[in-house]
Amino acid sequence: MQNIDLVNRDPNNINDHIGVEFEDILAEPDGAHSIDCVWKASYCCFNFWKNFWYKLATLCCGICIAAEWGCEFASIAFTHVWFITPLFKVLEIECGCLKKFYGMCVHCCLDPCCESVGLMCNAFKKE
Amino acid sequence: MQNIDLVNRDPNNINDHIGVEFEDILAEPDGAHSIDCVWKASYCCFNFWKNFWYKLATLCCGICIAAEWGCEFASIAFTHVWFITPLFKVLEIECGCLKKFYGMCVHCCLDPCCESVGLMCNAFKKE
Amino acid sequence: MQNIDLVNRDPNNINDHIGVEFEDILAEPDGAHSIDCVWKASYCCFNFWKNFWYKLATLCCGICIAAEWGCEFASIAFTHVWFITPLFKVLEIECGCLKKFYGMCVHCCLDPCCESVGLMCNAFKKE
């Protein structure tokens, strides 16, 4: 609770693509201006209904959803830290061995051929 | 209400492509000029009817439409903030794992072959 | 009415391609000159009839046509400001999400392969 920032609620800018301010959605170019009071009323209505529904939805579901995501990410973190990362380490070691062996075979078979064919291409070499 | 600008109603220039001023629509080149009073009357008529219909339409529907968009964007913001962004975070973590595993396999199989074939291309190497 | 310019009636040069001056249409090269008085009369006739018909046509229909375009552009502005631009904003948000998801899949599948094949191209590297 010590470092929660109530003003800037997206410090890592992960939801910056969701621009839902009035001026991102509705805008009148020069030459098409509605009556001042209509424009003002539109602004108020837009903001009122946007805030009303968003605040209502978050009031009803926000806390539960946050709790669910908390459980979900706890299980993901647990699985990854305690199983998947150590498993990858095992795989990495085994894979390194396999690659070394397999690579030895491949190099043994292909290298002479490739070198020979490479001689043919020497003709194109820029001196 | 505090920061609504009644003069510049498109601060982010999102509707700049809608140029509906008289001089954007009607223009007489040199050599084809109508009588002065006809041109003046055209200008007045154009502006009168454009403003009349635009102001009437916005007066009738503008406020309702703004309210509807408010509700719409409240629901979009809610869905994205509380479901889609966290879901992407989960996907990102899983995808990172999958990529690591898949990459290990691909590197294990392809790397030796590619290295060998690379020998063939040595001929093209610039010294 | 305040800023209508009766001399330059095409400030944005949208109809500059319509050159209907006498010298844009009729011109005699060196070696093909008609009698002076014929050329003068042609000049007068051309201008008289061009101006006569253009001024008559604009006098009869200009004002009505301008009024109709006023109505037309009012409706276009209304549709774009209040429906199309907000709809595009919705599409943009959804599209951004889709792009992120699709990009994650593509990077996951293609990145390891491309890295391996890149080894093969090392031969072309400039030292």
Side-chain angles (χ1 to χ4, degrees):
Chain A
M1 210 63 168
Q2 72 285 5
N3 60 355
I4 188 163
D5 181 355
L6 287 173
V7 176
N8 177 16
R9 297 190 181 177
D10 188 5
N12 298 336
N13 300 325
I14 57 174
N15 274 331
D16 258 6
H17 59 288
I18 313 170
V20 291
E21 302 275 10
F22 184 73
E23 54 267 24
D24 295 326
I25 315 292
L26 293 170
E28 289 185 326
D30 295 336
H33 278 197
S34 52
I35 306 166
D36 283 5
C37 65
V38 169
W39 189 244
K40 273 185 203 163
S42 301
Y43 181 81
C44 293
C45 267
F46 179 89
N47 279 323
F48 171 76
W49 285 105
K50 196 191 68 182
N51 287 330
F52 175 75
W53 283 118
Y54 188 75
K55 283 192 200 309
L56 189 74
T58 48
L59 184 65
C60 295
C61 317
I63 301 169
C64 299
I65 294 172
E68 278 164 43
W69 282 121
C71 302
E72 182 68 25
F73 279 96
S75 88
I76 287 175
F78 182 73
T79 320
H80 277 257
V81 169
W82 294 90
F83 294 101
I84 294 180
T85 307
L87 207 67
F88 262 110
K89 191 68 199 172
V90 176
L91 273 177
E92 208 174 285
I93 292 170
E94 303 296 344
C95 212
C97 257
L98 202 73
K99 185 178 166 185
K100 206 167 155 186
F101 175 70
Y102 170 70
M104 224 148 72
C105 298
V106 167
H107 280 299
C108 187
C109 295
L110 281 188
D111 277 13
C113 295
C114 288
E115 279 167 10
S116 290
V117 176
L119 284 175
M120 211 162 76
C121 306
N122 269 341
F124 303 106
K125 211 173 200 163
K126 279 185 193 151
E127 301 292 318
Chain B
M1 210 64 169
Q2 71 287 2
N3 59 355
I4 187 163
D5 182 355
L6 288 173
V7 176
N8 177 16
R9 297 191 180 176
D10 189 4
N12 299 337
N13 300 326
I14 56 176
N15 274 331
D16 258 5
H17 59 286
I18 313 171
V20 290
E21 304 274 14
F22 183 74
E23 54 267 24
D24 296 325
I25 316 290
L26 293 169
E28 289 185 326
D30 295 336
H33 278 198
S34 52
I35 305 166
D36 282 5
C37 65
V38 169
W39 188 245
K40 273 185 202 163
S42 300
Y43 180 80
C44 293
C45 267
F46 177 89
N47 278 322
F48 171 76
W49 285 105
K50 194 191 68 184
N51 286 330
F52 175 76
W53 283 118
Y54 187 75
K55 284 192 200 307
L56 189 73
T58 49
L59 184 65
C60 295
C61 316
I63 300 169
C64 299
I65 295 172
E68 277 163 44
W69 283 121
C71 302
E72 182 67 26
F73 279 96
S75 88
I76 288 175
F78 182 72
T79 320
H80 277 257
V81 170
W82 294 88
F83 293 102
I84 295 181
T85 306
L87 207 67
F88 262 109
K89 191 69 200 172
V90 176
L91 273 176
E92 207 174 284
I93 292 172
E94 303 296 345
C95 213
C97 257
L98 203 72
K99 186 179 164 184
K100 205 167 154 187
F101 176 71
Y102 170 70
M104 224 148 73
C105 298
V106 167
H107 280 299
C108 188
C109 295
L110 281 187
D111 277 13
C113 296
C114 288
E115 278 167 13
S116 289
V117 176
L119 284 176
M120 209 162 80
C121 307
N122 268 341
F124 302 104
K125 210 176 203 163
K126 278 185 191 149
E127 304 288 319
Chain C
M1 210 64 169
Q2 71 286 3
N3 59 354
I4 188 161
D5 182 355
L6 288 172
V7 176
N8 177 15
R9 297 192 181 175
D10 189 4
N12 299 337
N13 301 325
I14 56 176
N15 275 330
D16 258 5
H17 59 287
I18 313 171
V20 290
E21 303 275 15
F22 182 73
E23 53 269 24
D24 296 326
I25 317 289
L26 294 168
E28 289 183 327
D30 295 338
H33 278 196
S34 54
I35 307 165
D36 282 5
C37 65
V38 169
W39 188 243
K40 273 185 202 163
S42 301
Y43 180 81
C44 293
C45 268
F46 177 89
N47 277 323
F48 172 75
W49 286 106
K50 193 192 70 183
N51 286 329
F52 176 76
W53 283 119
Y54 186 75
K55 285 192 200 307
L56 189 72
T58 48
L59 184 65
C60 295
C61 316
I63 299 169
C64 298
I65 296 172
E68 276 163 44
W69 283 123
C71 302
E72 182 67 26
F73 280 97
S75 88
I76 288 176
F78 182 72
T79 320
H80 277 257
V81 169
W82 295 89
F83 294 101
I84 296 181
T85 306
L87 209 66
F88 263 107
K89 188 71 198 171
V90 176
L91 273 176
E92 202 182 306
I93 292 173
E94 303 297 344
C95 214
C97 257
L98 204 72
K99 184 179 162 189
K100 204 167 153 185
F101 176 71
Y102 172 70
M104 224 148 73
C105 297
V106 167
H107 278 297
C108 189
C109 294
L110 282 187
D111 278 13
C113 295
C114 289
E115 279 168 13
S116 288
V117 175
L119 284 174
M120 210 162 80
C121 306
N122 269 342
F124 302 105
K125 212 176 202 167
K126 277 183 191 153
E127 305 288 321

